[in-house]
């Protein structure tokens, strides 16, 4: 289980009018070819990775042969790792994917919610239409799950913990992190979410970063997923989202994935680095700011890129465009602190 | 300024699948007739009260004579203290108020944002209409500000720090908290927000709680605002909101007010108590859970009321109605902790 007294590190501060207004603590690990290269907080803190482990959850899609049997392309693989905005293109992709594997929306088990994308949200409202499960930000992951299920000819309740798919995913987590999973919970989309340590998650991300397009089946699967995410940032999230904007800012060299409750991971193939972080209070804005800080620290991201500044260091403005404050890093965490 | 090293107390925990997922720390003070009755964290931590000080900001509305000159009723006074949902009734009230004082929407300085209320939001979308400043959750406060400005025949830029209204509000904060303000920032609605300590804010709330409908001008003004808020919970926030649901749960005996970045205050006239709390990371869900805990601890709220349970102690469910976890209090903070 978790360290009996995990001690998170101060990471992100919100300043208003020259005073500290709010602050966030967290745990972060950067894992390199030789092991942990840097860490803040308590690396062996157990967390729920939530959506940040989607690429781990997607390994069976490739490794069972399902992806190739159904001729999934790179964009599909990116979408299998997505927490998407529910833009029209996302909804269409999900619908087309299900049709291609002989399934339909009711076969999904993710539930429905209003799309995050405003245009699609407004279209539904004007049409007096309710969102369907295709709009669910996890529908890409669930399309991947259903594809595996079809390929294995397994039962339809693919979110049950004892379903062969989930058992394979659990084993994959353990292989990737080098740990027994500490437990599991039910995610917002009803899929199981396996608890891992921040260090274990970083180690897994490093394996993705180090994986070439050669090697064993796992290596090649990891490589395909990393390339897919980094090449299709608009599918992994959507317009205006951190993953999409920051991956674009880094020119396709890095794969990023957010997880609910302020988790963020990064796969940096050029440096063979994996990054994992958790803001202990679940504040997503701080996870975004913290991953910007660590990507800058790793040399992968320009701190003055607009996509970075809007999340860390740049002025925060209100509805009338008045500057109200700034987001900074805490002392001890790399980045634009109070003295910078 | 703030205590050089404020030490927040663990307050609220989110559990999933039997594991701790996220946690929130904060500062809280309960001020009674004899002074501080209970405290968690560091009472003299400086915070921005944000909207939680709206009733302090509304004192000049009464004390200048503006409220009576323009024949404002109790509902108007509640609305002057509101962070409202932008429901149709809120929008209409704001528009009618401005007309009654010979002003119009362009005279507001709060800016516009999409209403939080879904029905009104959808109505605008269907009509291809943009929200106006009346929809801003702070428009009631700003109607009150404009009323004072008209009464004093002062300039139209009532959000400027040196406007007579804001100077009066600053003085009022200092009188109510017993402190010099630590500084000020620009709020989301462009009004100045004066920084105070958590203890000072609690002391101010206690003064509201102890104020009868007799006594000096300030006593009578505080009493009117407290009665107004507690009597019109639907105007102070709106359907589904914590302030509204919890005030209704307490049968009109308590006035509550939330502030952005996880501030919450409570005015309890029956016990002459004032409560103020700040969750240091700005997580509003934790401020709601913490104020539930303290209202229960004070004997004012039934912990098993649905409005309480949905925020603290009751099961949290996902889109498909599966129970995913629970929100608890941390050891040392009163309420349903892990052992309860």
């Amino acid at each position: 289980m978790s360290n009996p007294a995990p001690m998170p590190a101060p990471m992100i501060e919100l300043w208003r009018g020259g005073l500290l207004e709010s602050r966030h603590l967290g745990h972060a690990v950067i894992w390199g070819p030789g092991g942990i290269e840097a860490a803040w907080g308590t690396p062996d803190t157990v967390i729920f990775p939530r959506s940040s482990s989607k690429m781990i959850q997607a390994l069976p899609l490739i490794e069972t042969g399902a992806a190739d049997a159904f001729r999934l392309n790179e964009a599909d693989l990116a979408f299998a790792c997505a927490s998407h905005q529910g833009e029209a293109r996302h909804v269409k992709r999900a619908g087309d994917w299900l049709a291609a594997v002989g399934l339909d929306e009711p076969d999904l088990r993710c539930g429905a919610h209003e799309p995050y994308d405003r245009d699609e949200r407004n279209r539904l409202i004007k049409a007096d239409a309710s969102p369907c499960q295709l709009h669910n930000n996890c529908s890409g992951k669930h399309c991947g799950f259903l594809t595996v299920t079809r390929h294995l000819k397994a039962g339809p309740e693919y979110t049950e913990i004892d379903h062969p798919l989930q058992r394979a995913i659990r084993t994959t987590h353990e292989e990737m992190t080098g740990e027994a999973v500490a437990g599991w919970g039910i995610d917002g989309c009803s899929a199981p979410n396996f608890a891992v340590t921040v260090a274990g998650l970083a180690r897994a991300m490093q394996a993705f970063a180090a994986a070439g397009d050669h090697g064993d089946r796992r290596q090649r699967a990891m490589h395909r997923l990393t390339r897919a995410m980094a090449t299709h940032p608009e599918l992994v999230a959507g317009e205006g989202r951190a993953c999409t904007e920051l991956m674009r800012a880094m020119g396709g060299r890095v794969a990023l994935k957010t997880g609910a409750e302020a988790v963020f991971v990064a796969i940096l193939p050029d440096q063979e680095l994996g990054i994992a972080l958790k803001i202990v209070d679940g504040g997503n804005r701080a996870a975004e700011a913290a991953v910007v800080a660590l990507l800058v620290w790793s040399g992968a991201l320009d701190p003055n890129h607009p996509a970075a500044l809007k999340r860390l260091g740049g002025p925060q403005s209100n509805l009338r465009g008045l500057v109200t404050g700034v987001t900074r890093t805490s002392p001890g965490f790399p980045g634009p602190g109070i003295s910078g």
Side-chain angles (χ1 to χ4, degrees), chain A:
Chain A
M1 281 275 290
S2 72
N3 183 305
M7 291 286 295
M11 287 188 171
I12 300 298
E13 304 180 343
L14 274 73
W15 289 72
R16 180 182 303 266
L19 295 175
L20 176 64
E21 177 166 34
S22 298
R23 61 197 292 260
H24 298 266
L25 311 177
H27 308 282
V29 175
I30 301 184
W31 199 292
I36 293 181
E37 295 209 353
W40 294 265
T42 306
D44 64 354
T45 300
V46 169
I47 65 166
F48 285 102
R50 303 294 290 279
S51 289
S52 76
S53 67
K54 274 174 169 161
M55 76 292 286
I56 300 176
Q57 292 170 307
L59 284 167
L61 175 61
I62 297 176
E63 295 177 351
T64 56
D68 292 340
F70 286 99
R71 304 178 184 277
L72 300 184
N73 61 24
E74 195 180 64
D76 298 319
L77 295 180
F79 195 59
C81 300
S83 300
H84 65 74
Q85 280 286 83
E87 297 167 11
R89 62 180 157 185
H90 299 132
V91 179
K92 181 177 194 311
R93 178 170 286 280
D96 289 350
W97 185 337
L98 291 173
V101 300
L103 294 170
D104 203 354
E105 189 268 3
D107 295 303
L108 290 166
R109 292 291 178 268
C110 50
H113 63 68
E114 200 172 70
Y116 305 147
D117 175 67
R118 282 218 165 176
D119 289 344
E120 180 63 9
R121 179 200 75 175
N122 292 357
R123 186 190 71 74
L124 288 170
I125 289 166
K126 286 183 175 179
D128 277 312
S130 296
C132 69
Q133 297 189 96
L134 303 177
H135 291 96
N136 185 306
N137 77 107
C138 293
S139 66
K141 173 177 86 177
H142 285 248
C143 286
F145 284 176
L146 278 167
T147 303
V148 177
T149 299
R150 288 278 282 164
H151 185 65
L152 300 180
K153 297 181 169 46
E157 300 307 328
Y158 62 88
T159 58
E160 294 295 311
I161 190 64
D162 55 359
H163 188 280
L165 168 64
Q166 299 304 333
R167 286 193 270 111
I169 288 174
R170 179 182 191 132
T171 299
T172 305
H173 274 75
E174 298 191 328
E175 293 165 350
M176 296 296 304
T177 59
E179 314 162 345
V181 299
W184 63 279
I186 300 174
D187 213 326
C189 69
S190 298
N193 197 246
F194 294 102
V196 298
T197 66
V198 179
L201 188 60
R203 181 181 189 175
M205 296 305 117
Q206 197 277 335
F208 274 87
D213 61 358
H214 44 277
D216 64 19
R217 185 179 65 179
R218 168 111 343 133
Q219 295 277 317
R220 286 179 283 111
M222 290 193 285
H223 180 81
R224 283 175 75 179
L225 291 171
T226 300
R227 289 310 318 139
M229 293 176 66
T231 309
H232 301 276
E234 72 290 351
L235 295 182
V236 175
E239 298 309 315
R241 293 274 298 282
C243 291
T244 299
E245 293 191 351
L246 293 172
M247 279 198 274
R248 284 175 175 159
M250 294 182 287
R253 295 188 314 278
V254 174
L256 291 181
K257 188 71 192 78
T258 186
E261 292 296 321
V263 182
F264 233 113
V265 299
I267 299 166
L268 293 77
D270 293 351
Q271 301 109 310
E272 291 191 10
L273 290 180
I275 300 177
L277 69 89
K278 160 76 176 182
I279 300 294
V280 298
D281 55 77
N284 289 324
R285 67 184 178 187
E288 291 188 14
V291 82
V292 165
L294 294 182
L295 290 167
V296 169
W297 190 79
S298 302
L301 176 64
D302 171 8
N304 294 311
H305 191 287
L309 279 177
K310 78 189 270 191
R311 297 173 168 92
L312 179 64
Q316 301 294 320
S317 303
N318 72 6
L319 295 167
R320 286 176 60 226
L322 301 176
V323 173
T324 54
V326 64
T327 299
R328 304 182 183 283
T329 48
S330 302
F333 198 65
I338 181 66
S339 52

